[in-house]
Amino acid sequence: MQSVMPATASGFAFTRLAQGVQIRVGAVTKNLIFYGPTTLRVNANLGENYWTAASLAVVAKPQAVAFAITESAETLTIKSAKLRVEVSKATGALRFYDASGKLYTQENAAAPQTLEKRTISGAPTLEASNSFTLQPDEAIYGLGFNGSDTSNRRGKELLLVQTNVGIIIPVLMSSRRYGVLWDSYSQMRFKDDAEGASMWAESAPGGVDYYFMAGETPDAVVADYRALTGQAPMYPKQAFGLFMSKERYKTQAQLLEVARDFRKEGFPLDYIVQDWQYWGSDKDGSWSGMIWDPTRYPDPAGMVRDVHALHMKLMVSIWPSIGNDTALGKELDSHGLRFEPLHWISKHARVYDAYSPMGRQIYFKHIKSGLLDKGIDALWMDGTEIEVSSAMWNAQDNIRDTKALGRNALGDFTRYLNPYSLLTTQGTYDGQRATSDKRIFTLTRSGWAGAQRTAAASWSGDIFSSWKTLKQQVADGVNVTVTGNPYWTQDTGGFFVADFPGGEKNAAWRELYARGCNSPPSTRLRIGVQ
């Protein structure tokens, strides 16, 4: 996305490219590149692109789409069989139309974007924003789970940063049958008000970089999104059933006792979930080393066989923080692939570098030998937003803690703040695909554009039990799945039940729990009773 035109002090110019057009308006270079008949990448920069690695979200390549260029005194028009884009020669603002001439949407006519050069962690980048003018009756959805009471993002201002209870997916879907995917990874802020709908990014090395996706139906827009970022593989059939997850089972014997009781009572349970500390303690160097405490779990493989004999599957939790005394931690350290800050609970564990291909390979190697080779059916990847010095209840904790990690294999954490979950689930998916012919199912506490290709379903984190929370699950869960990430879930009945004394013995909580179980299917995968 570098400028290929000679620089001039002012004025409008354009040149045809193999898969699109590059224009220049003053100091701004704008690239319009076809990625499909109804998909157009829009990149605006100051003549230079500061990315040093390929896109993490987009796996597609530009396509050869037939298009014609015409111009008038005020406008340049790029027209394909299914899409027409008009460019203002005065400002470079774009207007998107379908083949019949119906307007999809338009950039702010006076100020389509802002671009400011910045230096962060010694590397050049851009602080960037772009703005659209929406139609008065237009509804917009997406951007992931933010704990909102309504699905429509009109009139909202949202800080887009991963948290324990926030899943960021930088994709919007419009009621006017188009979508927008922003390909930036720093903290972002979406705002819709009387001046328009804007997206700001703190560190955008490529400048404004988004993909416009159009379609005759919402499904067609989702198809464009998945063509860009990857298809969603089919889960194991049993993964569409019922899961049982407590805060944790403390021994192999306890887990098997519960599983057998479910079968004895004739309860149709499909997965039972082993949460944390099966490896040892929460306060020592054994944290998430893909190992089993030999006293409390003397025969993991035998435990899995017993679970399978009950026609159940077993999911086990893992974390990106790895204990200092584990073989996994030591192997990562031998390659400099763990960050220095200590995990807030253990104080003897550190986060591994999932931005490194080697880091992902080492991480998976120990998952395979310690868990999958024992027969474990699915991975529950906790704390993937990334949890470091707190439980990540708010965005400011994430911004502070993630930036404090320093640099990863791709660059500084200001520009790569949000997509850790995508990288770590990509590593476990690739590892399983390379070593097994079984379908894959993964649960993760965070997400990103493209996560669907890693067979990862996100869930809304450690939520509090309340009717307000249940309303948010229904309303905002839509904003995950509408983006083309088909699977999302929540803790049915909530994770913390402090507002209901007695917990499961409280009749009011039981009603909340029952109604949660009868919410839309995408919210019914995981249940947790504390």
Side-chain angles (χ1 to χ4, degrees):
M1 295 299 168
Q2 308 288 345
S3 176
V4 297
M5 293 183 289
T8 59
S10 62
F12 176 87
F14 77 93
T15 186
R16 186 179 184 119
L17 306 174
Q19 286 95 17
V21 177
Q22 183 176 100
I23 65 173
R24 191 189 63 248
V25 181
V28 175
T29 296
K30 207 159 188 173
N31 302 278
L32 313 179
I33 309 297
F34 281 99
Y35 275 66
T38 53
T39 304
L40 190 74
R41 180 182 181 182
V42 178
N43 174 272
N45 58 51
L46 296 177
E48 295 179 285
N49 188 313
Y50 303 119
W51 280 121
T52 56
S55 171
L56 301 181
V58 176
V59 295
K61 302 297 182 184
Q63 292 188 16
V65 174
F67 65 93
I69 300 175
T70 58
E71 62 178 317
S72 66
E74 298 178 346
T75 303
L76 182 78
T77 300
I78 300 103
K79 186 176 182 180
S80 68
K82 295 188 176 181
L83 198 60
R84 188 175 99 226
V85 183
E86 292 183 355
V87 185
S88 165
K89 290 186 174 182
T91 66
L94 308 180
R95 291 169 62 91
F96 298 90
Y97 298 87
D98 69 10
S100 69
K102 179 183 177 181
L103 179 69
Y104 283 118
T105 192
Q106 58 188 330
E107 294 183 330
N108 184 293
Q113 68 273 319
T114 64
L115 299 161
E116 299 289 341
K117 288 187 177 181
R118 298 282 185 262
T119 299
I120 298 175
S121 299
T125 189
L126 294 166
E127 181 181 345
S129 69
N130 66 297
S131 180
F132 290 89
T133 299
L134 305 182
Q135 299 301 303
D137 62 347
E138 185 174 357
I140 49 175
Y141 307 93
L143 301 179
F145 186 93
N146 290 272
S148 299
D149 292 346
T150 58
S151 299
N152 193 347
R153 301 304 194 186
R154 293 304 304 269
K156 301 295 177 61
E157 181 173 355
L158 301 170
L159 177 60
L160 302 181
V161 173
Q162 311 284 13
T163 68
N164 182 315
V165 289
I167 303 160
I168 303 306
I169 301 173
V171 179
L172 275 183
M173 293 291 183
S174 169
S175 60
R176 294 179 68 84
R177 304 296 187 260
Y178 72 86
V180 178
L181 159 65
W182 283 272
D183 200 16
S184 294
Y185 312 114
S186 70
Q187 66 166 312
M188 296 185 287
R189 188 178 296 277
F190 171 80
K191 184 178 182 180
D192 177 52
D193 58 19
E195 296 180 359
S198 63
M199 182 68 82
W200 166 85
E202 180 185 21
S203 178
V208 171
D209 207 348
Y210 69 84
Y211 292 77
F212 175 84
M213 307 166 289
E216 295 181 358
T217 66
D219 281 348
V221 179
V222 168
D224 282 353
Y225 163 80
R226 290 189 186 156
L228 284 172
T229 62
Q231 300 301 321
M234 178 63 77
Y235 282 164
K237 184 178 181 180
Q238 205 162 342
F240 293 95
L242 186 63
F243 287 57
M244 176 59 198
S245 173
K246 283 181 66 66
E247 188 271 346
R248 68 186 173 107
Y249 301 109
K250 296 183 179 180
T251 66
Q252 173 177 330
Q254 184 186 39
L255 184 146
L256 290 173
E257 179 185 12
V258 172
R260 288 166 181 149
D261 281 350
F262 269 96
R263 284 294 177 259
K264 180 180 178 181
E265 298 297 330
F267 203 85
L269 187 65
D270 295 283
Y271 281 71
I272 191 165
V273 183
Q274 174 62 58
D275 202 347
W276 67 329
Q277 297 192 52
Y278 59 89
W279 53 74
S281 167
D282 64 338
K283 296 294 193 299
D284 64 20
S286 65
W287 186 283
S288 200
M290 316 308 164
I291 56 178
W292 298 84
D293 180 87
T295 301
R296 294 183 291 114
Y297 296 85
D299 184 10
M303 176 181 66
V304 175
R305 287 194 297 271
D306 288 345
V307 169
H308 288 171
L310 296 168
H311 304 290
M312 290 183 197
K313 294 190 176 186
L314 181 60
M315 171 183 276
V316 171
S317 74
I318 62 174
W319 298 65
S321 297
I322 310 301
N324 294 344
D325 298 330
T326 64
L328 171 54
K330 292 174 181 178
E331 184 171 357
L332 289 165
D333 284 351
S334 71
H335 299 281
L337 292 172
R338 286 197 307 162
F339 304 110
E340 286 301 320
L342 294 171
H343 187 259
W344 69 288
I345 298 177
S346 168
K347 304 296 186 184
H348 296 279
R350 296 187 281 125
V351 174
Y352 91 100
D353 190 351
Y355 295 87
S356 161
M358 179 181 287
R360 297 193 295 271
Q361 291 165 8
I362 293 171
Y363 188 66
F364 177 74
K365 180 178 76 172
H366 288 261
I367 290 172
K368 184 176 185 303
S369 62
L371 303 178
L372 300 179
D373 287 352
K374 302 289 192 297
I376 297 303
D377 300 290
L379 301 173
W380 167 15
M381 302 179 74
D382 211 343
T384 53
E385 59 277 344
I386 320 163
E387 184 180 288
V388 185
S389 71
S390 74
M392 288 297 178
W393 288 108
N394 62 72
Q396 295 305 319
D397 285 346
N398 180 298
I399 295 168
R400 179 199 65 223
D401 289 359
T402 306
K403 288 183 179 181
L405 294 174
R407 293 183 62 84
N408 57 64
L410 294 183
D412 65 85
F413 268 105
T414 299
R415 69 172 64 183
Y416 286 110
L417 185 81
N418 275 315
Y420 186 93
S421 179
L422 174 64
L423 273 297
T424 191
T425 58
Q426 187 75 64
T428 57
Y429 178 80
D430 291 344
Q432 289 177 85
R433 281 269 59 88
T435 58
S436 171
D437 61 357
K438 294 182 178 179
R439 292 179 181 178
I440 296 165
F441 169 64
T442 297
L443 189 62
T444 174
R445 202 169 73 183
S446 190
W448 194 251
Q452 76 284 343
R453 70 174 180 256
T454 73
S458 54
W459 96 96
S460 56
D462 299 336
I463 54 177
F464 284 81
S465 297
S466 72
W467 292 104
K468 178 179 175 62
T469 297
L470 179 57
K471 182 179 181 181
Q472 291 172 344
Q473 306 308 299
V474 176
D476 223 12
V478 169
N479 286 316
V480 175
T481 57
V482 76
T483 63
N485 286 260
Y487 305 117
W488 168 85
T489 186
Q490 48 110 18
D491 284 357
T492 304
F495 183 82
F496 294 108
V497 295
D499 291 346
F500 295 90
E504 74 277 7
K505 296 180 175 61
N506 187 313
W509 181 83
R510 289 184 178 185
E511 182 182 358
L512 175 65
Y513 184 92
R515 291 185 184 274
C517 286
N518 286 285
S519 55
S522 64
T523 70
R524 289 166 48 189
L525 280 176
R526 178 173 175 259
I527 61 176
V529 183
Q530 306 311 317

